[in-house]
């Protein structure tokens, strides 16, 4: 039997977005074994009901638990903002970390004028969670939120730094520019894939905040505090619910590692 520290960390998202979190986890925790699940058959989550997203998340967590993971990162803002508390209750036997709080922590480190923009899926923005959490910890903060649903299919298609992406970004982000925000939280893990285009549209004076780094730091702290820290692993394995070459391509683009994702029938969980 392998010891707890050698067991993998499970990370999941609706598709390729969570790979931007995996990248930071590999940087911060290079010797951890990782199992990733991307729900490519059912992406996007952001336009679906809370009930459906919860059901999908439960199936994925059951799958990851079967793979003997020692902890889980929900690398998806839609799941984090709508289902985190319920998932924590349902799966109280395994540590689960989400991405919203780390996003708030990262934004607080860089904002000076206390005007913060949040972009995410429709479900994330509708939940109002970023706004609530920012207001809880920073008095006088002004939060401007905007759903950007077309960013997810652009990222899934690998259309990440093109004229179309910039045109779409201009339409979505014009209000946030007008509000003179100094920091923009990428409240969807797909969006860091489009970071160059978003940066071009927002200009150099706006801090682009990606919650992934703080998320990885939080996981590192948890593992160290609980003697679950691995010093001899580093294997990464990828699963999807619908196999396509695009996932493997984006995986190599983001992680600079070549992998062939394996398909899983996630509905049976
Ligand atoms: N990447 C996910 C998020 O952070 C989900 C995007 C989607 O599937 O709509 O919200």
């Amino acid at each position: 039997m392998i010891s707890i520290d050698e067991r993998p960390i499970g990370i999941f998202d609706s598709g390729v977005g969570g790979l931007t979190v995996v990248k930071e986890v590999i940087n911060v925790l290079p010797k951890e074994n990782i199992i990733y699940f991307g729900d490519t058959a059912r992406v996007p989550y952001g336009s679906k009901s809370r009930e459906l997203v919860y059901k999908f998340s439960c199936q994925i967590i059951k799958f990851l638990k079967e793979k003997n993971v020692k902890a889980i990162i929900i690398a998806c803002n839609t799941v984090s903002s709508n289902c985190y508390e319920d998932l924590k209750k349902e799966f109280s036997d395994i540590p689960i970390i989400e991405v919203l709080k780390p996003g708030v922590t990262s934004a607080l480190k860089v904002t000076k004028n206390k005007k913060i923009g949040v972009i995410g899926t429709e479900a994330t923005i509708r939940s109002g969670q970023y706004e609530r959490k920012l207001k809880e910890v920073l008095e006088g903060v002004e939060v401007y939120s905007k759903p950007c649903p077309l960013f997810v299919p652009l990222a899934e298609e690998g259309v990440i730094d093109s004229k179309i992406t910039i045109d779409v970004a201009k339409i979505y982000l014009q209000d946030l520019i007008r509000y003179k925000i100094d920091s923009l939280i990428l409240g969807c893990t797909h969006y860091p894939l489009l970071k160059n285009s978003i940066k071009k549209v927002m200009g150099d004076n706006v801090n682009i905040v990606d919650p992934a780094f703080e998320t990885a730091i939080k996981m590192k702290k948890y593992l160290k505090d609980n003697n679950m820290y691995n010093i001899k692993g580093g294997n990464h394995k990828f699963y999807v619910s619908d196999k396509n070459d695009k996932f493997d391509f984006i995986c190599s683009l983001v992680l600079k590692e070549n992998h062939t994702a394996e398909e899983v029938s996630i509905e049976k969980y």
Side-chain angles (χ1 to χ4, degrees), residues 13-14 17 43-47 75-78 121 124 152 187-190:
D13 178 44
S14 61
V43 63
Y45 280 7
S47 52
C76 174
N77 291 262
T78 304
T121 65
T124 297
V152 170
C188 171
T189 53
H190 280 75

Side-chain angles (χ1 to χ4, degrees), residues 1-241:
M1 213 174 92
I2 63 166
S3 61
I4 185 141
D5 54 313
E6 289 173 84
R7 284 162 54 190
I9 299 172
I11 304 181
F12 75 94
D13 178 44
S14 61
V16 298
L19 295 172
T20 62
V21 178
V22 172
K23 185 180 162 195
E24 289 302 334
V25 173
I26 293 174
N27 284 339
V28 172
L29 294 160
K31 296 292 178 192
E32 290 294 338
N33 298 318
I34 294 172
I35 288 189
Y36 182 83
F37 181 84
D39 201 355
T40 49
R42 305 187 289 195
V43 63
Y45 280 7
S47 52
K48 296 192 170 63
S49 68
R50 203 204 79 86
E51 289 67 30
L52 205 51
V53 172
Y54 179 71
K55 181 180 144 192
F56 293 169
S57 305
C58 288
Q59 289 173 331
I60 297 167
I61 292 176
K62 282 179 193 155
F63 163 72
L64 290 173
K65 283 185 65 177
E66 202 182 87
K67 291 284 170 201
N68 204 21
V69 298
K70 62 182 172 187
I72 289 174
I73 297 178
I74 304 174
C76 174
N77 291 262
T78 304
V79 175
S80 298
S81 60
N82 286 279
C83 311
Y84 180 55
E85 293 305 325
D86 289 342
L87 289 171
K88 247 189 2 183
K89 266 184 228 141
E90 179 71 26
F91 300 98
S92 54
D93 55 339
I94 185 151
I96 304 179
I97 283 179
E98 52 87 53
V99 285
L100 254 74
K101 268 209 188 127
V104 168
T105 307
S106 311
L108 293 181
K109 284 186 181 161
V110 293
T111 185
K112 295 216 163 55
N113 74 359
K114 295 188 183 178
K115 292 183 184 212
I116 299 176
V118 180
I119 53 175
T121 65
E122 280 160 330
T124 297
I125 300 303
R126 205 184 323 118
S127 78
Q129 289 282 6
Y130 266 114
E131 185 160 352
R132 208 165 300 131
K133 286 187 175 14
L134 283 162
K135 288 186 171 164
E136 264 167 28
V137 289
L138 184 62
E139 210 183 78
V141 67
E142 291 174 38
V143 184
Y144 300 98
S145 306
K146 179 83 184 174
C148 305
L150 285 176
F151 281 172
V152 170
L154 285 170
E156 287 288 326
E157 288 298 323
V159 185
I160 54 180
D161 201 8
S162 72
K163 187 176 173 323
I164 308 174
T165 320
I166 292 180
D167 286 345
V168 173
K170 277 183 186 157
I171 296 168
Y172 283 144
L173 304 176
Q174 57 187 356
D175 288 346
L176 300 176
I177 295 171
R178 232 178 332 110
Y179 294 135
K180 302 216 178 330
I181 58 164
D182 75 351
S183 308
L184 177 66
I185 300 178
L186 303 183
C188 171
T189 53
H190 280 75
Y191 298 0
L193 287 163
L194 312 179
K195 197 169 172 176
N196 286 344
S197 300
I198 294 170
K199 233 176 156 29
K200 271 182 202 149
V201 173
M202 292 309 294
D204 290 337
N205 296 331
V206 175
N207 305 299
I208 305 294
V209 179
D210 177 356
F213 177 71
E214 282 296 331
T215 306
I217 294 288
K218 196 168 175 180
M219 179 53 88
K220 181 177 183 176
K221 185 173 175 346
Y222 182 87
L223 296 178
K224 283 205 149 171
D225 289 351
N226 291 280
N227 296 322
M228 290 159 78
Y229 189 60
N230 195 351
I231 47 166
K232 42 186 189 283
N235 297 319
H236 310 141
K237 175 94 184 110
F238 297 82
Y239 294 89
V240 290
S241 48

